[in-house]
Amino acid sequence: MNIEIDPSRLAREIDELALVTEAAPPAVTRVVFSGADLRARAWLGAKCREAQLELRSDAVGNTFAVWPGSDSGAPRVATGSHIDAIPNAGKYDGVVGVLGGLEAIRALKRAGFRPRHGIELIVFTSEEPTRFGVGCLGSRLLSGALPPEAAALLADDKGDSLDAVRNAAGFSGTLDSIRLSAGGYKAFVELHIEQGPILERKKIRLGIVQKIAAPASAKILVEGAGGHAGGVLMPDRRDALCAAAELVLAVESAARETHAPDTVATVGICDVFPGAVNSIPSRVRLTLDVRDTDLVRRDSIMQKISEAANLTASKRAVSVRIDLVNADAPADCSALVTQVLAEACRAHDLPFLPMVSRAYHDSLFMARLAPTAMLFIPCRNGWSHRPDEYASPEDVGCGALILAEALARLAA
Ligand SMILES: [Zn+2]
């Protein structure tokens, strides 16, 4: 079988979808269930129908475009990613996996391939946490990682509930109808830009992901006592920012002390109240994000941070509260799927690099439902989540080709 990808058509479609944005191009802003997201879904739906795929959406708007296989009882082979984009993002994150997946399917059809297992393109709802504060909303619900009762409590900044917003977007049905049972898919493969610099530096066009790191994230609230910056003398102070500063450094050491390259910890937000030059900070809100490919190691870091928080609280007579937002388990990719991807690369004489995904993706949750792996392509300077995110048409085409080859092998 001679699989031929049309890289210029694929590049054109990526450019076209990037114009469906709520920011001025080249920036892409496509927050879930916004006008731009709904227009993008309609545009993509038309492309899928044009490719003669059967379309179905679930109650949260996850969309499945199906190429039925000759054996309707055989579990399907799935690929896909997301088309939502954080404010001021670029045009490749997620989109490469969706439009690349569509082009892979079209290329297999052009080559005359007839799948035995149905092939499904999945477009996941809200991979980005922008609107409801939870990343991978769609795949979490599909896999059962997010219980429907918890999803029902989600609301956006305006106070509109997930239920109200999804219903207004045309996705009805109950949240508990979304979950899929494990074993329904033979395999899941997600094509994605690396969002890091390794492939570009090594001049290798393809990465086969072996492990997906997962974050534990928390909100930290430090409360001390405020007062006049001149009036309250040092022995009497219970400065919340000084306590928070101690804690931020404890987070850094907890991650450094593991000496494991896959361990990272970040405090990304520090909100100081009341935030005046002559006022002692009485309250500080921090965010915490700890990631690792090893669950035990990551949990031990969370434990160390919690011990450091207790120590700081008692030493400085402040209160420290840590509220866990999520703590997903990292995933190992399936040996079956990574091997098929490796064979696909070899069949096309393309070198590949075994990699770790340090960002998490819908694949992290799909791994709970199906043997899963990811295929990475390089992006310029490793940049992502910014308007100048870039992957060359040749690299995107190369990713789509290997994806098509792997889907054919898995679905035969
Ligand atoms: Zn993504």
Side-chain angles (χ1 to χ4, degrees):
M1 185 175 50
N2 186 23
I3 305 171
E4 281 188 45
I5 296 294
D6 184 344
S8 47
R9 176 183 185 178
L10 182 49
R12 235 176 12 249
E13 287 178 339
I14 291 172
D15 287 345
E16 221 177 292
L17 182 53
L19 296 174
V20 187
T21 166
E22 304 206 314
V28 179
T29 297
R30 220 162 29 226
V31 177
V32 66
F33 300 138
S34 63
D37 181 46
L38 298 181
R39 289 197 301 280
R41 287 166 181 266
W43 178 90
L44 183 63
K47 294 274 169 204
C48 291
R49 276 189 291 270
E50 199 183 293
Q52 270 149 19
L53 302 177
E54 296 167 6
L55 275 178
R56 162 181 98 77
S57 291
D58 67 15
V60 79
N62 289 313
T63 299
F64 307 82
V66 182
W67 179 11
S70 59
D71 180 353
S72 59
R76 286 179 182 157
V77 173
T79 186
S81 195
H82 62 100
I83 58 167
D84 67 319
I86 63 163
N88 209 38
K91 55 188 174 185
Y92 298 90
D93 175 11
V95 168
V96 161
V98 172
L99 292 178
L102 178 60
E103 176 57 18
I105 289 173
R106 288 187 304 220
L108 290 175
K109 288 193 167 203
R110 289 194 295 265
F113 178 68
R114 295 291 308 275
R116 185 167 84 79
H117 298 260
I119 297 181
E120 208 170 279
L121 175 69
I122 310 180
V123 187
F124 297 98
T125 286
S126 195
E127 193 269 345
E128 304 292 359
T130 315
R131 185 155 188 180
F132 294 104
V134 179
C136 297
L137 180 60
S139 52
R140 275 181 202 275
L141 281 162
L142 284 175
S143 67
L146 178 67
E149 314 80 67
L153 300 176
L154 296 174
D156 64 12
D157 276 350
K158 286 195 219 135
D160 294 331
S161 70
L162 172 61
D163 273 333
V165 175
R166 72 185 173 92
N167 287 333
F171 301 105
S172 50
T174 59
L175 291 172
D176 55 16
S177 66
I178 298 167
R179 187 171 182 176
L180 298 177
S181 49
Y185 291 109
K186 182 186 174 194
F188 176 76
V189 191
E190 181 173 6
L191 171 65
H192 208 282
I193 56 169
E194 182 199 337
Q195 302 180 293
I198 298 170
L199 288 173
E200 188 184 55
R201 272 186 205 151
K202 293 198 184 273
K203 296 190 168 49
I204 297 180
R205 288 179 126 176
L206 296 157
I208 299 178
V209 174
Q210 315 287 318
K211 281 169 186 282
I212 306 171
S217 62
K219 292 179 179 172
I220 303 178
L221 176 66
V222 184
E223 285 180 298
H228 194 284
V232 184
L233 299 183
M234 297 317 279
D236 299 329
R237 295 223 177 175
R238 294 166 55 219
D239 185 319
L241 181 57
C242 293
E246 207 167 271
L247 200 50
V248 172
L249 294 177
V251 168
E252 187 193 38
S253 332
R256 278 187 194 274
E257 278 163 12
T258 67
H259 298 289
D262 292 341
T263 309
V264 286
T266 307
V267 174
I269 295 178
C270 176
D271 264 345
V272 181
F273 182 85
V277 285
N278 55 357
S279 181
I280 299 163
S282 60
R283 191 167 73 223
V284 175
R285 290 179 196 279
L286 303 173
T287 56
L288 173 64
D289 179 305
V290 181
R291 298 178 190 223
D292 210 313
T293 51
D294 185 294
L295 182 60
V296 173
R297 194 168 55 209
R298 194 198 65 200
D299 286 349
S300 80
I301 293 167
M302 293 299 280
Q303 183 58 36
K304 272 193 188 155
I305 292 170
S306 144
E307 284 159 14
N310 290 339
L311 198 67
T312 295
S314 64
K315 199 170 68 185
R316 293 180 169 271
V318 297
S319 76
V320 182
R321 202 176 83 205
I322 302 182
D323 288 322
L324 200 62
V325 176
N326 59 26
D328 301 308
D332 287 324
C333 290
S334 142
L336 163 83
V337 188
T338 53
Q339 272 161 28
V340 169
L341 285 167
E343 284 160 19
C345 290
R346 283 187 208 108
H348 292 270
D349 281 328
L350 289 164
F352 62 88
L353 189 71
M355 303 186 75
V356 167
S357 171
R358 297 178 193 282
Y360 71 98
H361 301 277
D362 292 303
S363 286
L364 182 65
F365 300 98
M366 286 306 286
R368 300 182 182 203
L369 285 177
T372 292
M374 296 188 75
L375 182 63
F376 276 175
I377 58 164
C379 55
R380 189 171 60 198
N381 300 328
W383 290 341
S384 184
H385 283 191
R386 44 190 281 180
D388 50 6
E389 180 182 87
Y390 178 79
S392 73
E394 297 73 35
D395 288 345
V396 176
C398 188
L401 173 67
I402 297 308
L403 177 62
E405 180 71 49
L407 291 176
R409 285 164 188 253
L410 288 163

